[in-house]
């Protein structure tokens, strides 16, 4: 009962704070630029935390941490390290400045809008919008995963009630304040995540006799081909499979619209430097902490629930099982932590979906020019629509677990989006000779790999006889998603070399924004002699 009361108090305070922020920031959301990008005037702390909290949701904390921790032990921490170094540090350094400069020069407010203006093609923009619409909704619905088992530790309420509460409150503050409300709330939610994950790790390790004792116990658990030491070793029992996890969860952020969109809004050069450091440290603590925590999941093997068909545990139950042994105050903090993680990512995704659909599909299709207020109004309507659809999908998936299509769509969404968008976006920022056909081919490639994986999974096709490479690639959506991204990085330059290049004048004009002269203090740059 004490846990219920404490959790309820923390949740009420948390919800109230989210709504207040939404109401207080509503003045910044009066036009399209303000509603979608915060007027491109967002500081480093808000941008970095918005990036980090959009990156890490309950899917990471509950699902991936439990799954990969069980499969790879303490070496799963490499996924968190990769998220910090590749998904945050390199992403900010390679994409941050150039994204901000070119998108402002093109007046591009969404990723499809960038593709349309960068390659001077309305059909390309529409195609990108359709991909976002198809694959972002199931990804959004997946954010509710894990909430049921966690709330079940404390509250005796139906899962659909939790979903509706989360959806309604997220909708309120995003509809009121747009990007700025999302960014401010992401900062608050990020603080909760930092303190929450730190407290949970300390409590779990302490409950297992300390770090050395917990690692010793983990090392004594056998694995295929190992008598002992597999789950406490440096690279774990399956280094190659772990590498593909690192690639998908780290490099994938470079092609996700809701992640890259954070760079559109950042304020200045110095803010990019600060944001890089803040975002990387945040990822080290949150992602590294989640996967490190999940690595101890096998110490609870006698308590988790198992799937009789596979012999494996239900991965979403591993972390909740670990938490059930902790003090009441820690459980209460975790409830708020996971809700904060899910709401922050949900707000980012629905804002991305609504802005993309409104600005890149609805507005261009109308014969009459839409006013700024009309566009913002339509975006708010679509926020309601996308939140309602994602919540409905999550409830249907939980009510009818036999509908496997929904669950598998969630699994391939990340790979499809990153596989289609990563390479064209990256090369589009740096290389003048990228061609429209190469972008189309990459779109088709990313979506084809994802949908082919979906068919294989749904039809339960045995790929073991397909040969070493193909069987490994289509063994899981993690492997195929990674291949989709890496393949795109090869496809775009190869197709660009054999298709018609843009004219030199058009290419030079597109990149002229990077040559604009700006004055900086001498402390930042020595003058030329």
């Amino acid at each position: 009962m004490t846990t219920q009361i404490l959790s309820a108090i923390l949740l009420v305070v948390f919800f109230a704070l989210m709504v207040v922020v939404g109401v207080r920031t509503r003045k910044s959301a009066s036009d399209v630029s303000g509603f979608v990008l915060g007027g491109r005037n967002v500081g480093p702390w808000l941008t970095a935390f918005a990036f980090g909290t959009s990156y890490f949701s309950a899917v990471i904390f509950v699902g991936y941490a439990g799954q990969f921790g069980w499969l790879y032990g303490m070496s799963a921490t490499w996924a968190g390290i990769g998220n910090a170094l590749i998904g945050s540090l390199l992403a900010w350094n390679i994409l941050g400045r150039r994204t901000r400069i070119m998108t402002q020069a093109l007046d591009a407010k969404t990723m499809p809008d960038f593709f349309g203006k960068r390659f001077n093609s309305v059909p390309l923009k529409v195609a990108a919008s359709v991909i976002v619409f198809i694959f972002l909704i199931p990804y959004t619905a997946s954010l509710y995963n894990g909430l049921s088992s966690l709330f079940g530790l404390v509250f005796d309420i139906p899962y659909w009630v939790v979903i509706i509460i989360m959806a309604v409150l997220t909708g309120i503050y995003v509809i009121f304040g747009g990007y700025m409300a999302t960014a401010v709330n992401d900062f608050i939610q990020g603080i909760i995540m930092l303190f929450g994950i730190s407290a949970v790790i300390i409590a779990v390790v302490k409950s297992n006799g300390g770090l050395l004792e917990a690692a010793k116990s983990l090392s004594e658990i056998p694995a295929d081909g190992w008598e002992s030491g597999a789950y406490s070793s440096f690279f774990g029992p399956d280094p190659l499979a772990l590498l593909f996890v690192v690639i998908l969860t780290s490099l994938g952020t470079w092609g996700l619209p809701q992640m890259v969109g954070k760079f559109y809004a950042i304020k200045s050069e110095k803010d990019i430097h600060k944001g890089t450091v803040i975002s990387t440290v945040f990822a080290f603590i949150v992602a590294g902490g989640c996967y490190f925590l999940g690595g101890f999941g096998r110490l609870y093997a006698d308590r988790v629930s198992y799937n009789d068909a596979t012999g494996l545990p239900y991965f979403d139950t591993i972390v909740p099982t670990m938490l059930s042994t902790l003090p009441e105050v820690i459980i209460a903090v975790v409830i708020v932590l996971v809700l904060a993680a899910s709401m922050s990512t949900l707000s980012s995704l629905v804002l991305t979906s609504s802005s993309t659909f409104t600005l890149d599909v609805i507005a261009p299709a109308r014969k009459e020019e839409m006013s700024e207020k009309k566009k913002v109004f339509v975006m708010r309507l679509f926020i309601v629509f996308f939140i309602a659809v994602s919540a409905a999908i999550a409830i249907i998936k939980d009510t009818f677990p036999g509908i496997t299509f929904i669950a598998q769509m969630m699994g391939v969404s990340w790979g499809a989006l990153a596989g289609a968008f990563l390479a064209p976006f990256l090369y589009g920022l740096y290389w003048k000779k990228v061609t429209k056909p190469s972008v189309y081919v990459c779109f088709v490639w990313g979506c084809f790999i994802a949908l082919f994986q979906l068919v294989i999974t749904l039809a339960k096709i045995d790929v073991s006889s397909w040969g070493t490479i193909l069987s490994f690639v289509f063994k899981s959506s993690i492997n195929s998603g990674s291949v989709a991204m890496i393949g795109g990085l090869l496809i775009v330059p190869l197709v660009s070399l054999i298709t018609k290049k843009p004219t030199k004048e058009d290419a030079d004009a597109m990149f002229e924004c990077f040559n604009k002269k700006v004055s900086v203090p001498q402390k930042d740059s020595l003058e030329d002699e």
Side-chain angles (χ1 to χ4, degrees), residues 21 30 49 54 190-191 225 252 264 276 314 350 411 430-431 448 465 502 529:
V21 168
S30 57
F49 271 67
S54 297
I191 295 295
Y264 289 35
T276 302
Y314 293 102
V350 297
Y430 279 89
W431 192 28
F448 171 77
S465 61
E529 296 182 0

Side-chain angles (χ1 to χ4, degrees), residues 95-361:
L95 300 179
R97 178 189 292 108
R98 294 185 79 90
T99 298
R100 175 65 170 80
I101 293 171
M102 184 171 275
T103 56
Q104 184 175 27
L106 296 175
D107 192 29
K109 297 179 177 66
T110 66
M111 184 176 273
D113 194 23
F114 169 83
F115 287 129
K117 291 177 178 176
R118 168 65 179 85
F119 300 103
N120 192 28
S121 172
V122 173
L124 199 61
K125 178 172 72 171
V126 174
S129 301
V130 171
I131 293 172
V132 170
F133 179 78
I134 291 174
F135 290 102
L136 212 54
I137 287 183
Y139 180 26
T140 303
S142 72
L143 300 178
Y144 301 97
N145 286 358
L147 291 177
S148 176
S149 52
L150 276 174
F151 271 75
L153 292 176
V154 180
F155 301 107
D156 185 21
I157 56 177
Y159 177 42
W160 64 267
V161 174
V162 177
I163 291 176
I164 290 176
I165 292 173
M166 173 179 158
V168 169
L169 289 169
T170 303
I172 288 173
Y173 74 75
V174 178
I175 289 169
F176 269 113
Y179 184 86
M180 190 56 72
T182 299
V184 174
N185 276 332
D186 284 350
F187 180 76
I188 297 170
Q189 291 157 352
I191 295 295
I192 295 171
M193 291 167 67
L194 286 173
F195 282 100
I197 192 63
S198 300
V200 171
I201 291 172
I202 292 171
V204 167
V205 171
K206 185 178 179 181
S207 69
N208 284 282
L211 181 58
L212 294 179
E213 186 62 31
K216 180 177 179 295
S217 300
L218 198 63
S219 70
E220 295 171 351
I221 300 174
D224 291 340
W226 297 66
E227 291 186 3
S228 63
Y231 299 111
S232 60
S233 62
F234 196 65
F235 289 120
D238 194 348
L240 183 59
L242 178 60
L243 175 62
F244 275 77
V245 171
V246 173
I247 292 173
L248 182 73
T249 61
S250 302
L251 191 60
T253 62
W254 296 29
L256 297 181
Q258 75 277 12
M259 301 297 298
V260 175
K262 302 297 184 290
F263 299 134
Y264 289 35
I266 199 164
K267 184 178 180 181
S268 66
E269 172 72 19
K270 66 178 182 179
D271 290 343
I272 292 177
H273 292 300
K274 291 179 182 178
T276 302
V277 175
I278 297 166
S279 179
T280 303
V281 172
F282 183 90
F284 262 119
I285 296 173
V286 175
C290 284
Y291 289 115
F292 177 74
L293 173 69
F296 295 103
R298 283 186 178 263
L299 298 181
Y300 300 80
D302 58 334
R303 305 177 196 176
V304 298
S305 301
Y306 288 84
N307 185 328
D308 293 333
T310 63
L312 293 171
Y314 293 102
F315 293 125
D316 284 356
T317 68
I318 295 174
V319 171
T321 300
M322 298 169 70
L323 298 175
S324 65
T325 64
L326 301 183
E328 293 178 339
V329 64
I330 298 295
I331 295 176
V333 169
V334 169
I335 294 295
V336 180
L337 181 162
V338 173
L339 199 64
S342 297
M343 289 178 67
S344 59
T345 308
L346 177 63
S347 63
S348 178
L349 289 174
V350 297
L351 185 59
T352 300
S353 300
S354 65
S355 59
T356 296
F357 204 68
T358 301
L359 301 178
D360 302 328
V361 178

Side-chain angles (χ1 to χ4, degrees), residues 79-100:
I81 295 173
N83 293 172
L85 297 180
I86 301 172
S88 296
L89 180 63
L90 282 182
W92 276 76
N93 276 294
I94 293 175
L95 300 179
R97 178 189 292 108
R98 294 185 79 90
T99 298
R100 175 65 170 80

